[in-house]
Amino acid sequence: MAFPAQRMRRLRRTPALRRLVAETRIGVDDLVAPLFVREGIDEPAPIVSMPGHVQHTVPSLLVEAKRLGALGVPALVLFGVPLRKDARGSGADDPGGIVQVALGELAAALGDEVVLIADLCLDEYTDHGHCGIVRPDGTVDNDATLELYQRVALAQAVAGADIVAPSGMMDGQVGAIRSALDGAGHIDVAVLAYAAKFASGLYGPFREAVDVTITGGGDRRGYQQDPRNGREALTEVALDIAEGADMVMVKPALAYLDVIASVAARVDVPVAAYHVSGEYAMVKAAAERGWIDGDVVALEHLVALKRAGAEVILTYFAGEVAEALRA
């Protein structure tokens, strides 16, 4: 059947018709809100490159987490900014470290109302800015780092994390963490693997948010994935699932829709996408200048991720979108 008998515009004519036949629907249940908590501050500190977001104190973090929970956001992922950093990243597995303290407070205040995800990495805690132990030649020691990741996972589980999310892209990290958790009796703590995390230029605002600078002008291209490689991402995902990942993530999101779709078509575990700080900041900056309708574009971005196959979306727009969906 062809024109004029077939007219595709018939089902686009009204908002109600468009809603009725929509193929992809974004809902608050799809969203995870990233939050930052900083040690040693008395009031929230705005993050300049991420308008609307702050480095929280523990009390302000609790207020924001409760607000998000009341909006129906089912989960948050927590990043810590310690007062002091060192070569080992000691604050990451310290029971008194900022994320562990915050997790304990959140767990006590929220119970099972909001899923608590703890980012599991060292870069926020190291004075060199890398995601692991650095050798004298400046390279990251993968296997020595795994031992620290195990310690961090246990500290986060004890503190109250429902899910730990290793983001360092160390080979074998999921298996090492799963073994440590199970060996200590934390069999119910899930692992969300940053399985295909690309060495992207879109992480700049995040590094401001966690005060991370890689010393000597270095980068993470030796362990994060090359943006030019798509098939390699599928291998990374398969390895993490084989090691026990309960969920897998692609990061960043919009430039890797093909990877998200390929992963979603191949795996039987939930697929997450991280709509990262640079993606958020670009929308905010363009909207501030009046070049785009920021609210429309933000929702369009998230719908694209869902359409590509992401079932879980980590986004700095979580609170705004939740409010809009409730309206």
Side-chain angles (χ1 to χ4, degrees):
M1 187 168 59
F3 180 84
Q6 184 175 26
R7 294 177 181 265
M8 297 299 293
R9 290 168 53 182
R10 288 190 186 114
L11 298 181
R12 303 172 190 156
R13 188 170 53 83
T14 68
L17 278 168
R18 292 192 292 273
R19 291 203 315 272
L20 180 67
V21 300
E23 299 174 19
T24 306
R25 303 175 194 277
I26 192 81
V28 69
D29 290 341
D30 301 314
L31 307 177
V32 177
L35 297 175
F36 304 94
V37 59
R38 180 166 190 148
E39 188 175 25
I41 58 174
D42 296 323
E43 58 184 28
I47 301 167
V48 175
S49 57
M50 298 175 65
H53 286 272
V54 301
Q55 295 172 328
H56 282 283
T57 64
V58 172
S60 73
L61 177 72
L62 291 174
V63 171
E64 178 63 4
K66 290 176 181 177
R67 183 185 78 88
L68 291 167
L71 288 169
V73 176
L76 61 85
V77 58
L78 191 58
F79 300 89
V81 187
L83 192 59
R84 298 178 184 82
K85 306 188 180 194
D86 58 33
R88 179 189 171 280
S90 301
D93 67 332
D94 182 352
I98 183 60
V99 162
Q100 281 69 259
V101 170
L103 283 170
E105 295 282 348
L106 288 167
L110 300 173
D112 294 332
E113 179 185 349
V114 175
V115 177
L116 302 180
I117 306 172
D119 179 76
L120 197 167
C121 199
L122 298 180
D123 59 326
E124 299 105 305
Y125 304 92
T126 57
D127 55 12
H128 47 69
H130 277 290
C131 299
I133 298 297
V134 174
R135 301 186 184 98
D137 66 359
T139 60
V140 173
D141 187 330
N142 186 99
D143 294 8
T145 299
L146 295 184
E147 297 178 18
L148 284 182
Y149 282 8
Q150 290 179 313
R151 294 172 62 96
V152 177
L154 292 176
Q156 292 175 342
V158 169
D162 299 301
I163 300 173
V164 296
S167 60
M169 288 296 286
M170 298 296 126
D171 293 337
Q173 63 183 15
V174 172
I177 289 166
R178 185 73 269 161
S179 175
L181 290 170
D182 289 354
H186 299 291
I187 59 174
D188 290 330
V189 175
V191 177
L192 165 59
Y194 286 64
K197 181 179 179 180
F198 291 84
S200 172
L202 289 164
Y203 302 146
F206 174 88
R207 291 178 183 168
E208 178 196 345
V210 293
D211 289 353
V212 168
T213 302
I214 301 175
T215 56
D219 58 48
R220 298 172 180 154
R221 296 183 184 277
Y223 47 99
Q224 292 181 354
Q225 197 181 331
D226 190 327
R228 296 170 293 187
N229 295 350
R231 291 193 305 272
E232 181 185 36
L234 302 181
T235 302
E236 290 277 12
V237 168
L239 287 168
D240 281 355
I241 292 174
E243 291 176 23
D246 299 285
M247 306 163 66
V248 292
M249 184 196 297
V250 177
K251 177 184 179 182
L254 289 174
Y256 302 92
L257 291 173
D258 59 323
V259 177
I260 295 170
S262 294
V263 171
R266 286 169 170 79
V267 307
D268 295 322
V269 300
V271 176
Y274 200 144
H275 188 246
V276 299
S277 60
E279 294 167 316
Y280 173 86
M282 287 191 293
V283 173
K284 287 293 186 180
E288 181 182 332
R289 288 160 177 76
W291 296 342
I292 62 171
D293 184 325
D295 294 339
V296 170
V297 172
L299 194 59
E300 187 176 345
H301 281 191
L302 302 189
V303 168
L305 302 184
K306 187 79 180 288
R307 191 178 65 243
E311 298 156 280
V312 177
I313 301 173
L314 290 77
T315 175
Y316 298 97
F317 284 111
E320 293 179 43
V321 170
E323 289 180 338
L325 290 173
R326 170 171 284 196

